[in-house]
Amino acid sequence: MHLRPNQQRRTSRPTWLLMAASLFLAPTALANVSIDDEPAEEAEAEEDKEEVLALVGGEIHTGLGGVLRDATILVRDGKIGAFGYDVDVPEDAEVVDVSGMRVYPGLIAVGSFGLFGSSGNLDDSVDPYNQNMTLALAAGITTAVDGNSVAKLKRGHVDGLVVSSSAFETMSYSNGNPQGQLKVEGDLKGAADYIRAYRAWEQEKKSNKEAKEPSKKGVDQKSLRILRGEVRPRFNADDRTDLLEIAQLAQRYGFRPIINGCREGWTVADELGRAGATAIVTPRTRRPKDESLLREGGSSIENAATLYSHGVNVVVVPASRGISLGGIVGQDLLHLPIEAGFAIRGGLPQLAGLRSITIEAARVLGVDYRIGSIEVGKDADLIVTDGDLLHYQTFVQWAIVDGEIVYDKQAEMFFAHIRPRPETALAPAERMDSGEEAPADAPEEEPAEDAGEEPVIEESGGEEPEANEDPEDPEDPEESEDPEESEESENTEQTAGA
Amino acid sequence: MILSPLLLLGPIAAAPAAPVQGDLFVIKAPRVELGDGEVMEHAVILVEDGEIVTMGQDLPVERGIPVIELEEGQVVMPGLVNPYSRVGMSGGGYNDSRPQVMASAELYPSAAYKAFFENGVTTVGQYPAGQGIPGQAVAVRPKGDSAEEMIVEDGVYLKVVMRNNSSAKRNLRDGFKKADDHLKKVEKEREKFDKAQAKAKGDKKKSSSKSKSKETFVPPPADPRVQPFFDLREGKLRALVSIRNAASYEHLIDAIGDEEFEWHLRVPLTRDIDVFHVADKVGERGCFVLMEPLITLVPGTLRQRNLPAEFERAGAKLVLLPRTDSKAGFESFLEDVGVMIGAGLDRKAAVRAITHNPATFMGLGDRLGSLSEGKRANLLIFSGDPFQPDTKLDAVMLDGKFVSGDMDQ
C-alpha cells in the first residue's frame, strides 16, 4: 500500500534506473533470507518426524491441582511433550483450537465390561470399533479395567492397548468366613517371618559367610509380594466389621489395602485412614443400616467425603460397570463423571472428585507412572470438554488416547446434535499463521475478517483488545460497532433482564 | 480395429467358395456391455470354437457365416462370474488350518449347476467349506459331464477366515512360521549334504572304490500343509480372507505383520455391519472386496449405507455376490445390483463387479469376464437393460454354445 506512491516519486527522478534496481534488490534480498530459513526449518521437521498434536487455548486441568487458563498442550509421539503458556507449536503440528474449553486427563474406570468386545486376550480379541468403546470415550473414559487387565480405549487399534495385565491382587478377608481369615493371616504371618529372617540373614552374611539363607518353602508368594510393597491387595468389603478387621490387619502387617465397595466406610473412616487405605466407592449406593444393630451403618452420601477427610484416598466407580440402558439407568459407565459429582455433592472437595476418576484410579491400578494426570512425559490420554467435567451439561468434545484423537463429538452420531459445537471451534488451521505475533483470540479474528474492506481501521481495531486481553472493556466507542462487541452487550442486557 | 475387418475378410480372399466351418458364427448386437464398464453399439462378434475371434463396430460379415441378428433393444453382456459359491457341493468343514485341501476334490457334475447358467453365471469359483483356513478354491464352468471337463483352473485362491480371536490369528501366523521352519530344515539338510559331499571327496582321494554318493542336493519336500504358504509368498497363490467386521480387518493386518502376499477380502454384509470404519484403509490397498448388493444400516440406527458403493469409491475393486448362495439368490441377483445402482453405485463399476473384476480376482481376466478378442464366448443376451426388473434373460451362451434360453444357433 505504502510502496506505490514511493515508486511513482522515484520513477520521476532522472536516476530512476538505479533506484528501480535497488527496489528490485530489496525483495530478492528478502527472498534470500526466507530461502535460507526454509531448509533449516525443513531439516528440523525431518529430525523429529513424530506426529505432533497441539491443543491450543484451553483451560488445562492437570488433575493434580494445577489449572492453566488459555494454555497449550503439545503432544509428541503419543506423550505429553510440553504444556503451559510459552509452548512453541511446530509448523507441521496438527492444531486443535480448544479455546473456551477445558482439557483434563482421560478418565479411568477401575471396572468395566463390554467396552472391548469380547474379553480374554485383548490384543487378539478386541473389537476396536465397538459401539460401547465409543460411548465410553464419549463419557471421557480413556482407560478401563477389563477382567484383570488395564487397557486403553484405542479406537481403531488392536495392539498396544494393554497397560497392565494385573490390575488387582484380590484377597478375601471377611467376617463371614473365619477359616479364610485364619488362612490369610497365617500366610501373612509366614511371609512376615520370612522377611524378618531374610533381613537378619542379610545382616549376618556380612560377618558370617556360612550363614544359611532362610528357606522360601511354604511361604505364600502373594503375601510376600504384598508385604514387600510390590502389590496392594484388594478386598471386597462393605460391612463395618469387615472394614474394621481389614484396617487392623493392614496396620498389623504394614500394607495399604484397596477396599472395593466400602459402603460403611464412613463409620470407620479413621481406622481406614490410619491403614492408608484406598476406597473404591459408588456414591449413589443406597442401603439402609442393619436395624438389629445399635451402631451406625448403611450407606451415606457423605461416605466419600468422610473417608477423604480421614486420609483415605477415594476412587469412584458407577454402580453398573457396563454401558446399558436397562436396569439402573444413569448409573452405568457413561455416567462416571456424574457419579464423581455425587461424591462432591456429599462433601468431597472438587479436586478430590476429579482425582477419584483419574490419578487415584491410576494409582490403585499401579499405572500412575503412565496415565492419570497431565504431566510432561506421561501418555497423552486427554479429554477436551465444553465445561466443568463434573457438570451434568458437559460433553466430551474430543478424546485423545496416546496422542491420537479417537473421539470427536461432532463426528459421531451419539451426541453431535445436542448443543453442536460452534463452527469457530472447528477452524484451527489458519490460527497458526497469525499466531507468531501474539496468541490471538478467536473473537479478535472474526471482526478482522468482516471488516476486510477497510484495512486501516481493522488493524487498530484488532490490536486494542489484544493489548487489553479483555474484550469486555468498553473503552473505545468505535469498538461497539464490531459485531462481536454488540453481541456481547446484548448478552449482558439479556442477563440483566433475566 | 483396422485389422479386424481384414481378419474377417481374410477367409473370403483365401477360399471364397469354401464352406464355413461348423463352429464359426457371428452375433450382431445393437448394444454390448463389454464388462470393463464400456459399451459398444452395433457390435459384430465373430465366434469360432467357443472363442471370440474378432469383434468391432459395424464390421462387414462374409456371406455364408451364420449370423445371429439380435433385435433392437437387446443387450449383450459377458457371462456373470461368481467367484464364491458352494452350490453343488455338500458337507461341512473344520475349524483349523488345512490349506492343502482342494475344493476340486469335492467337485462332481450335478443338476444343481443348472442354477448357475440358467441365471447367467458362466464361471463359478467354488471354495472348500469350513472355518480357519479350509483350503483352496477351484474355478469351474457350470456345465460338463465330468469334474475334469468343468474345471477351468484349480487353486485359484486360498480361503482364510479371520475373526477377533487368537486361534484365527494363529492359523495365519503359524502357517508362515511353519514355512520358515521348513526353510531352516532345508538349510540344515543342505549343510549336512555339503559336509557329506566334502567327506566323500576326501574319501575318494584315498580309495576311489567307494559307493556312489548323491550328486546333487535334493531338498526334503515341504509338508503339504506348508506348501500353500510358500505359494502365497511366491505369488503363485492368492488368499481370500473372510472378515466379519471392522475389528477383524484390524486383526488381519496385525496377524499379517510384515508378511507380503496377495490377499483380498470377503465381507459378508449383514444389516448392521460396521466395516465402513475401514473402507478407506481397504480402498487404499486397492484389493478385491467381495460383498453382497445389500443396503446396510449404521449399527443402532436406521441410517442407511451403500457399502459396495463406499468401498468402490474408496478405491477397492468391487466384486458383487448374490445375496444368498442359492438359486433364489442367483435369480434376484441382477435386480439387487440394480437397486445398488439406484442407491448410488456407479453403473460401470457395477458391471465390472459382476463380470471383469471377479474374473480378474481369480486370475482368469485374460480368458473371460469381458468381451474382446481372445476371450471365451461366454455371453448373455438380455431383452433390455440387465439391471431393470422387467428385463428378461433371453439366452445364455457358454463357450460359444447356447446353454439356456429360447434362442437357437
Side-chain angles (χ1 to χ4, degrees):
Chain A
M1 285 293 224
H2 293 283
L3 270 178
R4 210 170 284 155
N6 277 354
Q7 224 170 356
Q8 282 168 352
R9 216 180 301 150
R10 277 174 184 169
T11 44
S12 65
R13 286 183 188 179
T15 52
W16 60 277
L17 251 176
L18 263 178
M19 298 315 286
S22 75
L23 261 178
F24 277 104
L25 269 176
T28 44
L30 275 173
N32 276 339
V33 170
S34 62
I35 284 167
D36 283 346
D37 272 1
E38 268 171 32
E41 277 166 1
E42 271 172 32
E44 229 174 88
E46 269 170 40
E47 250 174 54
D48 38 292
K49 254 187 174 174
E50 75 233 310
E51 303 222 330
V52 183
L53 173 74
L55 306 178
V56 180
E59 185 179 305
I60 300 171
H61 292 245
T62 62
L64 300 170
V67 178
L68 292 83
R69 296 203 167 79
D70 199 5
T72 297
I73 296 192
L74 210 60
V75 174
R76 283 179 188 277
D77 253 0
K79 307 273 180 201
I80 296 169
F83 68 97
Y85 299 107
D86 305 317
V87 176
D88 287 329
V89 178
E91 272 188 15
D92 56 341
E94 182 191 353
V95 178
V96 181
D97 178 6
V98 296
S99 50
M101 300 195 185
R102 299 191 185 197
V103 184
Y104 291 97
L107 309 185
I108 300 164
V110 296
S112 82
F113 58 81
L115 302 190
F116 298 93
S118 58
S119 55
N121 181 0
L122 280 186
D123 276 340
D124 279 344
S125 66
V126 64
D127 178 353
Y129 296 105
N130 183 359
Q131 253 189 83
N132 283 353
M133 185 183 281
T134 313
L135 280 167
L137 286 166
I141 297 167
T142 55
T143 304
V145 174
D146 183 279
N148 206 32
S149 298
V150 185
K152 293 197 180 195
L153 279 63
K154 286 184 83 165
R155 200 154 171 250
H157 294 270
V158 297
D159 50 356
L161 291 93
V162 177
V163 183
S164 156
S165 50
S166 58
F168 290 114
E169 190 70 73
T170 308
M171 281 183 100
S172 174
Y173 192 74
S174 166
N175 211 21
N177 179 9
Q179 292 297 320
Q181 276 185 315
L182 279 177
K183 168 89 168 60
V184 168
E185 199 156 359
D187 285 347
L188 285 170
K189 188 169 182 307
D193 289 346
Y194 170 77
I195 290 174
R196 219 169 276 130
Y198 187 86
R199 288 197 184 135
W201 168 72
E202 272 184 326
Q203 287 298 319
E204 201 188 337
K205 199 168 55 169
K206 287 172 190 165
S207 52
N208 175 13
K209 280 196 175 171
E210 278 168 32
K212 248 178 112 185
E213 187 181 336
S215 164
K216 258 189 183 178
K217 213 176 171 188
V219 180
D220 181 46
Q221 290 303 309
K222 191 162 132 186
S223 304
L224 208 55
R225 288 176 62 217
I226 290 167
L227 295 190
R228 280 179 175 154
E230 290 165 8
V231 291
R232 293 177 64 188
R234 184 186 68 164
F235 301 88
N236 293 311
D238 282 309
D239 187 71
R240 173 190 160 111
T241 324
D242 285 349
L243 294 173
L244 211 52
E245 287 185 2
I246 289 164
Q248 284 160 358
L249 182 77
Q251 287 176 70
R252 198 150 62 243
Y253 288 99
F255 64 86
R256 300 183 58 199
I258 297 163
I259 299 169
N260 190 31
C262 207
R263 192 173 58 234
E264 294 185 341
W266 58 280
T267 63
V268 289
D270 49 351
E271 279 289 326
L272 290 170
R274 266 197 287 280
T278 298
I280 301 174
V281 300
T282 303
R284 277 186 280 179
T285 308
R286 289 292 170 269
R287 186 72 74 87
K289 68 169 266 191
D290 184 347
E291 292 298 344
S292 63
L293 298 172
L294 276 175
R295 59 157 177 82
E296 284 183 309
S299 58
S300 164
I301 185 91
E302 291 177 77
N303 192 20
T306 311
L307 286 166
Y308 180 77
S309 65
H310 284 86
V312 178
N313 289 323
V314 174
V315 176
V316 165
V317 283
S320 160
R321 310 289 161 91
I323 286 178
S324 71
L325 295 177
I328 36 179
V329 178
Q331 299 200 33
D332 60 352
L333 270 190
L334 266 182
H335 299 83
L336 178 62
I338 301 280
E339 198 69 44
F342 271 88
I344 295 168
R345 186 183 176 87
L348 189 70
Q350 281 274 345
L351 178 59
L354 175 59
R355 291 174 63 112
S356 74
I357 47 178
T358 53
I359 187 70
E360 292 303 343
R363 280 189 182 157
V364 298
L365 302 173
V367 293
D368 53 319
Y369 67 101
R370 274 182 66 180
I371 55 174
S373 60
I374 297 181
E375 289 176 85
V376 172
K378 275 199 174 181
D379 292 5
D381 294 358
L382 308 166
I383 52 173
V384 180
T385 66
D386 52 9
D388 185 347
L389 174 67
L390 306 171
H391 193 280
Y392 58 82
Q393 193 177 278
T394 298
F395 274 116
V396 171
Q397 298 287 337
W398 287 283
I400 294 152
V401 175
D402 284 343
E404 188 186 330
I405 297 176
V406 288
Y407 171 80
D408 175 353
K409 176 178 167 245
Q410 293 310 116
E412 305 295 334
M413 302 182 66
F414 301 112
F415 305 116
H417 59 292
I418 306 172
R419 290 192 293 283
R421 193 161 64 222
E423 284 294 319
T424 48
L426 287 170
E430 285 174 326
R431 288 178 57 87
M432 279 327 294
D433 302 329
S434 59
E436 279 189 5
E437 302 159 286
D441 281 322
E444 288 153 21
E445 272 197 5
E446 279 211 358
E449 278 166 26
D450 289 348
E453 284 178 26
E454 295 161 298
V456 184
I457 294 168
E458 169 233 297
E459 268 176 35
S460 65
E463 269 169 37
E464 286 217 2
E466 240 171 64
N468 288 335
E469 284 231 310
D470 195 353
E472 275 175 46
D473 252 4
E475 274 182 18
D476 203 331
E478 274 186 59
E479 289 278 324
S480 58
E481 280 175 29
D482 277 349
E484 200 61 32
E485 284 294 320
S486 58
E487 253 178 51
E488 242 170 278
S489 55
E490 265 174 42
N491 283 343
T492 46
E493 271 168 37
Q494 275 175 0
T495 44
Chain B
M1 277 299 129
I2 301 165
L3 269 176
S4 34
L6 286 177
L7 278 171
L8 257 183
L9 295 170
I12 309 171
V20 174
Q21 284 115 327
D23 267 350
L24 185 74
F25 64 93
V26 159
I27 301 170
K28 277 187 168 179
R31 187 178 170 83
V32 176
E33 294 272 3
L34 297 179
D36 57 2
E38 301 306 315
V39 171
M40 186 188 282
E41 305 218 316
H42 307 294
V44 176
I45 307 169
L46 178 70
V47 177
E48 185 174 13
D49 289 335
E51 191 175 278
I52 298 171
V53 182
T54 279
M55 74 180 281
Q57 248 173 321
D58 291 322
L59 297 181
V61 179
E62 183 203 348
R63 222 185 312 142
I65 300 179
V67 173
I68 301 165
E69 184 104 39
L70 298 187
E71 289 164 26
E72 198 53 45
Q74 278 188 311
V75 176
V76 171
M77 196 161 109
L80 305 182
V81 180
N82 178 347
Y84 195 81
S85 175
R86 276 195 61 79
V87 167
M89 294 187 158
S90 59
Y94 302 89
N95 196 14
D96 52 1
S97 179
R98 294 162 189 253
Q100 78 282 12
V101 169
M102 306 299 282
S104 52
E106 290 182 62
L107 190 66
Y108 66 95
S110 76
Y113 286 91
K114 262 175 86 174
F116 288 110
F117 59 77
E118 282 183 351
N119 290 291
V121 179
T122 52
T123 311
V124 186
Q126 298 214 283
Y127 61 93
Q131 301 293 307
I133 301 180
Q136 300 178 32
V138 58
V140 304
R141 65 195 289 275
K143 204 172 164 70
D145 295 329
S146 68
E148 285 72 35
E149 204 179 311
M150 289 172 78
I151 293 175
V152 177
E153 177 118 5
D154 206 355
V156 285
Y157 60 81
L158 175 69
K159 192 189 167 187
V160 177
V161 179
M162 183 51 65
R163 294 285 181 263
N164 317 351
N165 59 49
S166 36
S167 73
K169 291 172 90 170
R170 196 171 49 235
N171 278 338
L172 196 59
R173 281 179 181 148
D174 278 8
F176 288 111
K177 196 175 155 284
K178 278 181 190 151
D180 285 336
D181 290 347
H182 178 73
L183 285 181
K184 272 180 212 154
K185 192 178 146 198
V186 169
E187 200 49 47
K188 238 180 217 170
E189 291 283 319
R190 185 187 297 277
E191 264 171 40
K192 217 192 259 173
F193 174 81
D194 286 347
K195 240 180 225 171
Q197 281 295 84
K199 204 180 168 197
K201 260 185 190 170
D203 286 350
K204 245 181 200 174
K205 274 175 192 170
K206 282 172 197 164
S207 57
S208 54
S209 62
K210 281 277 172 186
S211 61
K212 263 198 217 167
S213 61
K214 279 182 282 179
E215 288 298 309
T216 49
F217 173 68
V218 183
D223 187 303
R225 289 184 181 221
V226 173
Q227 191 53 44
F229 288 93
F230 283 120
D231 294 346
L232 281 177
R233 273 184 183 164
E234 288 160 16
K236 290 182 195 159
L237 184 63
R238 62 186 72 82
L240 179 68
V241 186
S242 174
I243 61 169
R244 191 163 52 184
N245 50 18
S248 39
Y249 178 77
E250 299 289 354
H251 285 290
L252 169 67
I253 296 294
D254 187 45
I256 289 174
D258 297 331
E259 209 63 57
E260 276 180 22
F261 60 97
E262 184 187 339
W263 54 268
H264 305 285
L265 289 175
R266 158 78 179 126
V267 188
L269 293 191
T270 52
R271 272 288 172 206
D272 59 351
I273 194 165
D274 67 349
V275 282
F276 50 83
H277 286 300
V278 294
D280 287 342
K281 291 183 192 174
V282 174
E284 222 167 272
R285 278 196 53 84
C287 61
F288 288 101
V289 176
L290 281 61
M291 46 174 57
E292 289 84 355
L294 182 72
I295 298 286
T296 61
L297 302 175
V298 176
T301 71
L302 291 176
R303 190 176 290 187
Q304 295 186 328
R305 296 191 86 123
N306 186 343
L307 291 183
E310 282 181 43
F311 274 77
E312 198 275 328
R313 273 198 293 269
K317 284 180 261 178
L318 184 66
V319 173
L320 290 172
L321 304 173
R323 277 172 58 180
T324 58
D325 192 21
S326 65
K327 194 163 180 267
F330 303 159
E331 278 166 359
S332 66
F333 181 51
L334 285 171
E335 202 181 320
D336 293 336
V337 175
V339 169
M340 302 313 284
I341 296 170
L345 177 63
D346 180 49
R347 191 181 190 281
K348 287 180 177 179
V351 173
R352 278 198 299 272
I354 57 178
T355 54
H356 181 63
N357 280 359
T360 313
F361 158 65
M362 291 197 288
L364 308 171
D366 54 348
R367 278 188 260 171
L368 46 93
S370 54
L371 298 179
S372 62
E373 279 124 358
K375 302 278 162 65
R376 300 306 299 170
N378 296 345
L379 49 87
L380 315 177
I381 299 167
F382 289 94
S383 64
D385 181 350
F387 300 117
Q388 290 299 325
D390 56 350
T391 297
K392 212 171 129 272
L393 177 57
D394 287 334
V396 178
M397 181 178 281
L398 178 58
D399 289 330
K401 288 197 174 63
F402 283 117
V403 292
S404 171
D406 45 16
M407 290 184 75
D408 270 331
Q409 211 135 345

